Amino acid sequence: MSTTRRLRELLAAPGIIRSLGAHDVFTARLIELAGLETVFLGGFGTSASLLGLPDVGLITLTEMAGAVRRMAARVAIPVVADGDTGHGDLHNVARTVQEFERAGAAGFLLEDQVTPKRCGHFEGKQLIPAGDMVLKLKAAQLARRDPDFVLIARTDARAVEGIDGAIARAKKYGAAGADVCFIEAPQSLEELRRIPREVPHPLLVNMLTGGVTPILPVQELGAMGYMIAVCPIESLLVAGTAIQKLIQQLLSTGRVDQNPEMMSFAQVKEVLGLKEVLGIKDKVTEPKG
């Protein structure tokens, strides 16, 4: 089964889809091995991991498509990737869809910020007109070769036009053919509850630690009516803390091998699939007869 079809089946099934953001392929492997249904490849984590830079529209389409390709090649679960603004105008949106499809993504997010964009929980965001976003969604629909490829329409209007404006945009984007709608950065529990009541389309919700949105358990979000809950940058946050501790251990003790929080070398080799990789060589070179 293709990952696009698998994602469609998950969206049609009861319950909420749990998704963690992976800032690199090793993290995506861990997410898959743990049994999560999908993995999210966000612009924030990719920009931090690949460039060491913040998510302010610096990462290019080819860089992001390359990150999608590397991740989709090493996991079997659906990869949902951040398409930002489509990296430009309508023809850029079409190319983004095609590049992400070829790279192996099961779906992508398209947002209504101006180019270059900002992280959804940063200040100073600007929006394109809702009508222009509808045209981008139409271009994305025409560009996809796989009808199961999932289009997620994100609006950042909450910070610019208020919650009423954000809900109005989400309704418009869903009516225009978005498979899933996503209102970024609601600012209260009441807003989180209100969105599923008023937007009659499948919904994604973002649980960004340290952002402006209240954090709730996945089960509670599912009961509200959300279909996908994403924790987008937490793998990066955890990795940052762990590496800082490792550095301090080296500085204070002169060694790092006595760290109880480390995976073993054997565990890392298992996650990377070393036996399977070496097994290919063994099968090719094994003597015949």
Side-chain angles (χ1 to χ4, degrees), residues 61-62 86 90-102 143:
L61 167 58
T62 51
L90 300 182
H91 52 287
N92 304 100
V93 171
R95 183 174 176 229
T96 299
V97 170
Q98 292 163 0
E99 291 292 335
F100 278 25
E101 271 196 294
R102 281 193 287 264

Side-chain angles (χ1 to χ4, degrees), residues 75-222:
V75 298
I77 58 175
V79 175
V80 178
D82 190 353
D84 286 341
T85 64
H87 297 275
D89 207 346
L90 300 182
H91 52 287
N92 304 100
V93 171
R95 183 174 176 229
T96 299
V97 170
Q98 292 163 0
E99 291 292 335
F100 278 25
E101 271 196 294
R102 281 193 287 264
F108 92 135
L109 276 72
L110 181 66
E111 62 194 58
D112 58 4
Q113 287 193 51
V114 301
T115 302
K117 54 75 58 85
R118 290 172 178 258
C119 167
H121 291 254
F122 288 177
E123 295 181 354
K125 295 181 290 185
Q126 299 179 57
L127 305 178
I128 61 174
D132 290 354
M133 178 63 172
V134 167
L135 294 178
K136 283 191 170 187
L137 288 167
K138 295 294 186 183
Q141 291 172 64
L142 290 172
R144 63 182 171 187
R145 294 179 173 87
D146 181 353
D148 287 330
F149 185 80
V150 173
L151 306 179
I152 302 172
R154 164 178 150 176
T155 179
D156 286 80
R158 171 61 187 89
V160 181
E161 300 174 351
I163 190 62
D164 291 339
I167 288 173
R169 280 181 178 250
K171 289 180 177 179
K172 186 171 291 188
Y173 301 162
D179 299 302
V180 178
C181 296
F182 167 28
I183 294 178
E184 175 65 298
Q187 297 181 14
S188 69
L189 182 58
E190 176 50 38
E191 289 183 5
L192 279 173
R193 289 172 174 156
R194 181 181 168 190
I195 290 166
R197 290 200 304 262
E198 298 188 23
V199 180
H201 304 286
L203 290 168
L204 180 149
V205 62
N206 199 21
M207 294 282 101
L208 189 147
T209 302
V212 302
T213 303
I215 305 297
L216 297 175
V218 170
Q219 295 85 349
E220 191 170 339
L221 294 165

